[in-house]
């Protein structure tokens, strides 16, 4: 009799606990956010974390009747840790979506987990073309380096740059940048006079800058990952290359909005190709930059941040379409073909490749209100990843 009363009391307590959430227990959808929050690429993690928080603050933490819970973990830019965290999040924490992935090796390490568990993997930062092909559950909201490098290469050849020397970081997105810059630049009539790959760990750009200067190109084309731009700029200026008459052209990863002001006036005139500038003159972006800075006074949103912000939008829109259902196949189907306005401009998820389709802007570093910005002056619309488009 006593045991029965106890059981009854426990059940009643359970019902009451559920009752406090408005009559029904509100189900939670956990999103596992894996990012480099420490180390040389911590800026990518911090930008994306800030953007994810901003998205939730603006759109609420409930979607299609489900409460959204972010589980953030630092992979410290070590691929084995990314993979272990992804496994633990799926198996132990029951996350229904994996997101983040600050660099290519980290995104690739998690791909087998998303493929086997059939859990959507939203790549918010990494940019090597092949990433989306490593798991049918990957959707990318960042960019591909071939998107940026091809636009830079063909613009350069058509705008008075006859000879170029490329300097890229020696890992997959750097190799993509080198190949696709060269391809579009030479097809449009340009000539490569040299190529150099700089080691990723503790990079020293000085000897490579010297080699480039000795080859006397009209321009140096550069890809360095977000987080290395400040050191590149410092060594470029130290060697006096800003006064050499050689032009500096790059993907937007170099004059990253978060650090551009630190480059000083030596950066004025640098031309780059990228999907995002904090100076993009749309109402949506003006509001985004203002809200981001209000929540994070020491930061300016960069191109990594919009990958995080738009990645959250893809997750929210997919959950709306599935009425809160978290089946991986259903979420993927809902994500394919999504099209919406991002702070960077119009974007969509290519249903065939699950990769992002977006405008790539040509920009020039100029001073505005006493600060340095990448000011857009031309647009190539709705660019698909050229690498996948080049293969059957
Ligand atoms: C990458 O690892 O794919 C990556 C990292 C930083 C960038 C771009 C690409 O700025």
């Amino acid at each position: 009799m006593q045991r029965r009363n106890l059981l009854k009391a426990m059940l009643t307590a359970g019902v009451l606990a559920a009752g406090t959430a408005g009559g029904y227990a509100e189900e939670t959808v956990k999103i596992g956010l894996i990012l480099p929050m420490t180390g040389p690429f911590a800026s990518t993690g911090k930008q994306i974390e800030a953007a994810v928080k901003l998205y939730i603050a603006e759109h609420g933490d409930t979607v299609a009747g489900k409460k959204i819970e972010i589980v953030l973990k630092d992979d410290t830019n070590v691929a084995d840790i990314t993979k272990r965290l992804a496994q633990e999040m799926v198996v132990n924490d029951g996350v229904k979506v994996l997101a983040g992935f600050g660099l290519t090796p980290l995104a690739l390490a998690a791909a087998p987990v998303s493929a086997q568990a059939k859990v959507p993997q939203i790549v918010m930062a990494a940019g090597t073309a092949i990433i989306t092909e490593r798991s049918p559950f990957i959707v990318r909201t960042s960019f591909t380096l071939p998107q940026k490098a091809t636009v830079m290469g063909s613009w350069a050849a058509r705008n008075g740059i006859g000879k170029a020397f490329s300097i890229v970081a020696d890992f997959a997105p750097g190799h993509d940048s080198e190949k696709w810059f060269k391809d579009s630049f030479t097809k449009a009539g340009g000539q490569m006079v040299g190529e150099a790959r700089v080691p990723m760990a503790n990079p020293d750009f000085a000897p490579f800058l010297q080699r480039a200067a000795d080859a006397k190109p009209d321009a140096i084309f550069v890809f360095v990952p977000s987080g290395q731009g400040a050191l590149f700029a410092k060594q470029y200026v130290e060697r006096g290359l800003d006064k050499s008459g050689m032009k500096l052209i790059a993907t937007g990863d170099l004059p990253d909005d978060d650090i551009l002001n630190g480059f000083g006036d030596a950066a004025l005139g640098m031309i780059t190709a990228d999907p995002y500038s904090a100076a993009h003159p749309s109402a949506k972006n003006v509001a985004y930059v203002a809200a981001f800075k209000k929540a994070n006074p020491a930061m300016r949103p960069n191109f990594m941040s919009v990958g995080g912000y738009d990645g959250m939008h893809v997750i929210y829109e997919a959950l709306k379409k599935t009425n809160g259902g978290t089946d991986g196949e259903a979420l993927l189907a809902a994500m394919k073909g999504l099209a919406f306005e991002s702070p960077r401009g119009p974007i969509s998820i290519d249903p065939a490749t699950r990769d992002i389709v977006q405008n790539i802007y040509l920009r020039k570093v100029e001073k505005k209100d006493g600060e340095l910005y990448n000011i857009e002056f031309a647009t190539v619309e709705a660019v698909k990843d050229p690498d996948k488009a080049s293969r059957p």
Side-chain angles (χ1 to χ4, degrees):
M1 186 62 195
Q2 256 181 357
R3 273 188 67 171
R4 222 185 242 176
N5 280 342
L6 187 63
L7 194 66
K8 210 172 149 193
M10 281 168 72
L11 283 173
T12 313
V15 169
L16 285 177
T20 57
Y24 302 94
E26 207 171 42
E27 250 185 88
T28 298
V29 177
K30 288 187 188 170
I31 300 172
L33 187 59
I34 309 178
L35 289 166
M37 299 303 298
T38 50
F41 303 102
S43 59
T44 295
K46 289 186 179 137
Q47 284 273 337
I48 292 177
E49 180 193 17
V52 166
K53 282 192 173 149
L54 178 61
Y55 188 90
I56 294 173
E58 288 176 348
H59 296 83
D61 64 356
T62 304
V63 57
K66 298 283 174 86
K67 179 123 175 125
I68 301 296
E69 183 187 329
I70 302 290
V71 182
L72 171 64
K73 292 270 164 76
D74 177 10
D75 63 14
T76 69
N77 182 35
V78 175
D80 287 345
I81 298 181
T82 316
K83 182 169 187 180
R84 178 172 56 72
L85 289 173
Q87 276 164 340
E88 286 174 4
M89 284 177 161
V90 169
V91 176
N92 303 340
D93 303 334
V95 311
K96 298 299 182 198
V97 179
L98 292 165
F101 310 105
L103 291 99
T104 291
L106 312 177
L108 294 178
V113 179
S114 71
Q116 276 158 30
K118 299 190 193 301
V119 168
Q121 178 183 351
I122 312 303
V123 174
M124 295 171 156
T128 302
I130 46 97
I131 289 173
T132 44
E133 292 163 272
R134 295 299 170 88
S135 162
F137 286 84
I138 291 179
V139 169
R140 175 157 34 202
T141 57
S142 48
F143 50 82
T144 79
L145 272 311
Q147 283 179 326
K148 305 185 190 196
T150 46
V151 169
M152 192 66 260
S154 50
W155 183 89
R158 292 192 182 109
N159 287 275
I161 295 170
K163 293 180 182 167
F165 189 105
S166 88
I167 299 181
V168 301
D170 192 6
F171 77 135
H175 304 164
D176 264 7
S177 303
E178 180 188 270
K179 174 180 191 287
W180 288 96
F181 175 82
K182 177 183 185 170
D183 185 79
S184 64
F185 182 63
T186 54
K187 268 191 191 139
Q191 183 199 344
M192 295 303 300
V193 294
E195 288 167 11
R197 295 178 173 187
V198 184
M200 271 291 275
N202 307 313
D204 177 10
F205 298 104
F208 301 97
L209 286 167
Q210 192 55 53
R211 263 179 61 199
D214 291 347
K216 301 205 181 328
D218 300 316
I220 301 183
F221 165 74
V222 178
F223 165 77
V224 289
S226 184
Q228 291 188 348
L231 177 66
F232 180 92
K234 181 170 168 274
Q235 296 191 318
Y236 188 83
V237 173
E238 273 169 6
R239 308 198 84 73
L241 295 183
D242 54 318
K243 297 183 185 75
S244 67
M246 237 173 6
K247 289 203 168 67
L248 182 56
I249 60 177
T251 64
D253 306 70
L254 175 61
D256 176 337
D257 270 296
D258 203 12
I259 56 168
L260 178 55
N261 271 320
F263 286 20
D265 287 356
L268 287 169
M270 188 199 312
I271 291 184
T272 55
D274 210 74
Y276 181 70
S277 166
H280 181 62
S282 69
K284 177 129 193 149
N285 187 51
V286 170
Y288 175 70
V289 173
F292 189 101
K293 283 184 170 173
K294 192 168 173 213
N296 310 277
M299 290 161 79
R300 184 198 275 181
N302 72 1
F303 64 101
M304 292 300 191
S305 80
V306 289
Y309 193 77
D310 295 336
M312 286 306 292
H313 191 68
V314 163
I315 296 167
Y316 270 47
E317 290 304 300
L319 281 167
K320 283 183 199 166
K321 281 205 202 169
T322 62
N323 289 317
T326 54
D327 173 68
E329 308 260 11
L331 285 174
L332 249 290
M335 289 174 183
K336 290 178 187 172
L338 279 177
F340 56 94
E341 195 198 349
S342 152
R344 63 187 116 176
I347 68 171
S348 65
I349 302 299
D350 184 339
T353 64
R354 294 163 279 103
D355 223 331
I356 186 166
V357 181
Q358 60 190 335
N359 294 347
I360 300 294
Y361 306 91
L362 287 148
R363 312 98 49 83
K364 187 177 194 173
V365 175
E366 290 174 19
K367 218 169 229 175
K368 198 181 103 184
D369 307 327
E371 290 191 43
L372 296 176
Y373 280 97
N374 295 295
I375 304 294
E376 296 166 359
F377 62 87
T379 306
V380 182
E381 284 179 7
V383 179
K384 285 190 177 193
D385 174 42
D387 184 62
K388 280 180 275 291
S390 73
R391 289 184 268 125

